[in-house]
Amino acid sequence: MRRVPLVASLVFGLVACAVSAADLPWTQLGPFDSLTGTPILVGSLVVVPGTATLYASGAAGAGVFRSDDGGGQWVDLGRPGGQDVLRLYLDPSTSGAVYAATYWGLYRTRDRGATWTPSGLQDQVVNALAVDPQSPNTVYAGTVPQHFADYGYIFKSLDAGASWSQVDALLYDWVISLAVDPLDPSTIFAGSSEGGTVFRSTDGGGNWTAVDQPLGYVHEVAVDPRRPGVAYFSWHTHFVFEGSVLGGTLRRTTDGGATWSDVAGLPKLRAGDFLIDPRDPSLFYFESSGSLFRSIDGGQTWGAIGPAMGIAACDSRYLYAISNGVLRYDLSLLPPTCEASSTTLCLQYGRFSARVDWQQSPLGPSFQAQAVPLTTDSGYFWFFGPDNVELVVKVLDGTGINGDFWVFYGALSDVAYRLTVTDSLTGATREYVNPQGTLASVADTHAFPGAVSAAPAVAHRPSTALVVASPEVVCIPDPAALCLEEGRFQVRVDWRLSPEGPSFIAPASPLTGDTGYFWFFNEANVELVVKVLDGTAINGHYWVFYGALSDVQYTITVTDTQTGATQTYENARGTLASVADTKAF
């Protein structure tokens, strides 16, 4: 067991409130229903790079539409073969050529949608397609069983779909996504659903090997067109808890698929779409945990630029999303925002930056605290080591309540530090100084005026891993439990809005081996932080600390899985609590 550091540590609580996120100004483009004038529900979108031509497929039998003026006017191209379209794909070899993957095979147009020709696989539900960019007549198709009781397969065509052969060597799974390496077209990646596996072929589909298994739904596979051996896939778990998918993120390989790791600086809760800009491959977009993230340096650093919208395409200047119609955002309208770094938190979609300088003694040297993002409005800093959370910071948009942005922070350490928060839109700065020996929790509800509307962003949650319990303990992590101190202690939280109201189970998110947090209303809003420390070397006990980011009624239950002993901590409604129990177990 790790021992508690000499500097006293404590978790603190902050008041939570319901706030609205900064929305990007999306423009509704259509297509529209000819009878009602309302936007048609769109299931797929492709944009021809360097042009104003867009193709959209409508859901529920609406067919395919084309716009030649960036979405101003749309032409109804009908339903290819009378089938519902699952997804559209561009054929890079021929201008005006598009593939339509349907429930009954693949269709292709060479005349911009005027006519559609069957392209084989008419007895298959085609769910994924990849075209060899160096040899566009070579096409790979992934299928899903029509009756959802069989297996999906991978097929290969050498004549642009005129004929096909099965090449997957019986992967026994549903094929959800495919990607060909543009720098080495003999390498193909396939993502599956039910088995949650990524497969790789290095001989043009002749042989396949499972290279990673995140145990969830592989949502999207993509290959970096500029850097050899670099590929990505997004995934999420099947397990749903109170309406939210609880696992998943973006994973990356830098050695052609031999090894994979989570991309740093992104959340690990609910992964969605992932895009690489075809005209500027340094621009990446990724949706997760209800937020939209962008990287402008090829995936090295990321920033949240707004709420998730269901992104579908991009072309350097514009970002497109699909839902009820096609939505477009002009990326040139993004104002300058905070730049995240190892010592800078970017909060409230990048409008605010937070930095911390700390000292062990008033006359000692000053050090920069290391920053770890949690959500778009909160994060923490560590001083002595990455396993010890020292200072939690949150910026909330309170403009709907009192016209201001609010700054909250709470110390997990009593050393001297200076917290500096800057509004990147106005240049205004607030400094909060903590003297040595002071354990502070501060709520500044008039920190920054909100006259200037909030902007899009830069930052998010760390790559954290669940603690794996050692063989002698029985704490098993689940979506509603934290396992702390090498898995010995289990923590659960129940909360309610009123004393007479129903009780809810709070979802849990681990941070370090001894610290984690719970959220109540929304996964992006940290509500309660809990820490268990081994203080046996000091007073013979394990210590429990917690701090509330909400003043609702809740009950914390901490269980020692080795002895069965339990401690419960009750918080009354309207109470903002910070508790240090140094004789808990």
Side-chain angles (χ1 to χ4, degrees):
M1 297 286 184
R2 288 182 299 106
R3 303 297 172 180
V4 66
L6 294 179
V7 177
S9 296
L10 177 63
V11 179
F12 135 92
L14 302 172
V15 178
C17 67
V19 296
S20 60
D23 290 327
L24 296 178
W26 293 90
T27 300
Q28 176 65 254
L29 300 179
F32 299 95
D33 186 285
S34 59
L35 296 178
T36 66
T38 58
I40 292 172
L41 182 63
V42 175
S44 178
L45 174 73
V46 293
V47 178
V48 181
T51 75
T53 300
L54 287 67
Y55 292 87
S57 64
V64 179
F65 299 82
R66 187 191 75 239
S67 174
D68 295 317
D69 60 359
Q73 301 292 326
W74 293 86
V75 178
D76 189 343
L77 305 177
R79 300 170 67 210
Q83 302 299 318
D84 290 347
V85 175
L86 289 171
R87 195 166 179 181
L88 297 171
Y89 298 88
L90 287 176
D91 180 347
S93 64
T94 306
S95 176
V98 177
Y99 287 100
T102 78
Y103 284 100
W104 293 95
L106 189 67
Y107 291 81
R108 186 188 189 200
T109 179
R110 297 174 182 266
D111 53 14
R112 296 173 9 101
T115 59
W116 295 90
T117 303
S119 193
L121 305 177
Q122 303 314 119
D123 59 342
Q124 299 286 334
V125 180
V126 180
N127 194 67
L129 199 77
V131 181
D132 185 335
Q134 295 188 21
S135 179
N137 283 335
T138 301
V139 185
Y140 299 87
T143 67
V144 169
Q146 290 174 342
H147 301 292
F148 301 99
D150 199 356
Y151 302 112
Y153 303 103
I154 299 175
F155 296 85
K156 181 178 181 179
S157 174
L158 297 176
D159 50 17
S163 61
W164 296 85
S165 59
Q166 184 180 323
V167 297
D168 64 355
L170 300 179
L171 298 181
Y172 298 111
D173 222 324
W174 298 7
V175 183
I176 299 300
S177 55
L178 289 167
V180 177
D181 188 337
L183 302 177
D184 179 14
S186 63
T187 298
I188 307 102
F189 294 97
S192 66
S193 61
E194 293 304 295
T197 305
V198 175
F199 298 91
R200 178 189 63 181
S201 172
T202 58
D203 57 3
N207 295 278
W208 294 84
T209 304
V211 292
D212 200 30
Q213 191 171 26
L215 300 178
Y217 184 104
V218 177
H219 191 75
E220 196 77 40
V221 179
V223 181
D224 193 313
R226 286 184 176 177
R227 293 182 292 170
V230 179
Y232 298 82
F233 73 86
S234 61
W235 74 277
H236 61 71
T237 59
H238 296 283
F239 184 79
V240 178
F241 181 78
E242 292 189 351
S244 297
V245 179
L246 291 182
T249 188
L250 185 66
R251 287 178 65 77
R252 172 172 55 204
T253 179
T254 58
D255 53 14
T259 60
W260 298 80
S261 60
D262 292 350
V263 174
L266 289 172
K268 297 179 67 178
L269 288 176
R270 186 175 56 205
D273 294 298
F274 172 65
L275 299 176
I276 298 178
D277 194 309
R279 301 187 68 196
D280 184 357
S282 62
L283 296 177
F284 290 5
Y285 299 91
F286 176 58
E287 289 188 323
S288 181
S289 305
S291 295
L292 171 61
F293 298 86
R294 180 177 70 160
S295 172
I296 62 175
D297 54 11
Q300 301 307 302
T301 59
W302 294 83
I305 60 174
M309 291 294 293
I311 56 173
C314 53
D315 65 353
S316 300
R317 177 177 177 181
Y318 295 112
L319 183 63
Y320 298 88
I322 56 174
S323 180
N324 290 319
V326 177
L327 304 173
R328 183 182 68 192
Y329 177 69
D330 187 342
L331 293 167
S332 66
L333 300 178
L334 282 174
T337 59
C338 163
E339 294 185 5
S341 72
S342 62
T343 58
T344 301
L345 285 178
C346 293
L347 307 173
Q348 274 296 317
Y349 295 101
R351 174 164 178 174
F352 298 94
S353 66
R355 297 173 62 90
V356 173
D357 299 287
W358 63 279
Q359 296 173 284
Q360 285 186 291
S361 65
L363 301 179
S366 179
F367 303 95
Q368 287 188 331
Q370 299 297 297
V372 180
L374 287 174
T375 72
T376 49
D377 57 25
S378 62
Y380 70 84
F381 293 88
W382 59 267
F383 301 164
F384 301 97
D387 289 336
N388 206 359
V389 180
E390 305 285 4
L391 187 68
V392 182
V393 180
K394 174 185 266 185
V395 176
L396 292 179
D397 182 356
T399 55
I401 299 175
N402 69 346
D404 294 319
F405 285 92
W406 306 351
V407 173
F408 306 91
Y409 70 90
L412 292 83
S413 176
D414 61 356
V415 301
Y417 58 84
R418 180 188 303 269
L419 167 65
T420 303
V421 183
T422 302
D423 185 339
S424 61
L425 292 187
T426 67
T429 296
R430 297 281 293 182
E431 288 191 345
Y432 304 90
V433 178
N434 186 75
Q436 185 179 14
T438 302
L439 184 62
S441 58
V442 171
D444 183 355
T445 57
H446 295 282
F448 296 92
V452 181
S453 60
V458 194
H460 215 246
R461 174 196 178 118
S463 297
T464 56
L466 291 175
V467 177
V468 179
S470 54
E472 69 273 11
V473 299
V474 295
C475 179
I476 300 176
D478 67 49
L482 291 176
C483 290
L484 305 179
E485 269 300 319
E486 300 180 359
R488 174 166 177 171
F489 295 92
Q490 182 189 75
V491 184
R492 294 181 178 272
V493 173
D494 298 283
W495 65 279
R496 60 185 66 206
L497 287 172
S498 65
E500 297 79 20
S503 177
F504 303 95
I505 300 174
S509 295
L511 290 176
T512 70
D514 55 30
T515 307
Y517 71 85
F518 294 85
W519 57 269
F520 300 163
F521 303 99
N522 185 295
E523 64 190 5
N525 206 357
V526 180
E527 304 283 6
L528 185 66
V529 184
V530 181
K531 173 185 273 187
V532 177
L533 293 178
D534 181 358
T536 55
I538 299 175
N539 70 346
H541 292 276
Y542 286 90
W543 305 352
V544 173
F545 307 93
Y546 70 89
L549 293 84
S550 176
D551 60 358
V552 301
Q553 180 179 342
Y554 57 84
T555 301
I556 303 171
T557 303
V558 184
T559 302
D560 184 340
T561 60
Q562 287 190 3
T563 67
T566 297
Q567 290 280 4
T568 58
Y569 303 91
E570 301 281 351
N571 186 76
R573 183 186 180 188
T575 302
L576 182 62
S578 296
V579 172
D581 183 355
T582 58
K583 294 183 180 180
F585 296 94

